[in-house]
Amino acid sequence: QVQLIESGGGLVQAGGSLRLSCAASGMTIRGSTMGWFRQAPGKEREFVAGISASGANTRYGASVKGRFTISRDNTENTVYLQMNSLTPEDTAVYYCNALLNWVSTQERHNWGQGTQVTVSS
């Protein structure tokens, strides 16, 4: 059974940084496009960032472009999200998942518990 375990969230002041991790078990991320998503209270889950299987290509949602960086370590079976210049609008539960393919934002597996990020003003 595939499990995606997100960690690294917390409370941070506006302008601060956090680094999220997503450890996968029951699957190997090698060969998979991976992505980060977030869901704020009362809002739908939104795509944040994606990274190709090789790690050579990345793409970002408009609201985080230039501030967030997605990366991966296939040997550790882990995906990361470095978040800089955080604003209160970034407050949400953050999730990772494998994507169907590079051009898709459709998730492939069940969602994990996510990790809460709260940015204070």
Side-chain angles (χ1 to χ4, degrees), residues 37-105:
F37 297 76
R38 67 185 182 186
Q39 187 167 22
K43 295 187 177 181
E44 293 187 353
R45 199 179 333 246
E46 68 168 331
F47 172 79
V48 172
I51 187 166
S52 62
S54 68
N57 298 296
T58 58
R59 59 190 179 114
Y60 299 91
S63 61
V64 307
K65 197 170 185 178
R67 301 187 297 122
F68 290 12
T69 303
I70 187 172
S71 61
R72 64 191 294 157
D73 185 337
N74 288 343
T75 61
E76 294 292 330
N77 220 32
T78 301
V79 183
Y80 302 97
L81 185 68
Q82 177 67 43
M83 307 187 296
N84 299 328
S85 302
L86 286 162
T87 74
E89 288 68 37
D90 295 316
T91 296
V93 179
Y94 284 71
Y95 304 87
C96 72
N97 213 315
L99 304 181
L100 291 184
N101 52 59
W102 173 242
V103 298
S104 172
T105 59

Side-chain angles (χ1 to χ4, degrees), residues 8-28:
L11 175 63
V12 64
Q13 288 188 330
S17 299
L18 283 173
R19 189 193 194 207
L20 306 184
S21 299
C22 170
S25 65
M27 65 166 283
T28 175

Side-chain angles (χ1 to χ4, degrees), residues 23-37:
S25 65
M27 65 166 283
T28 175
I29 67 170
R30 191 185 304 273
S32 293
T33 297
M34 299 295 295
W36 281 96
F37 297 76

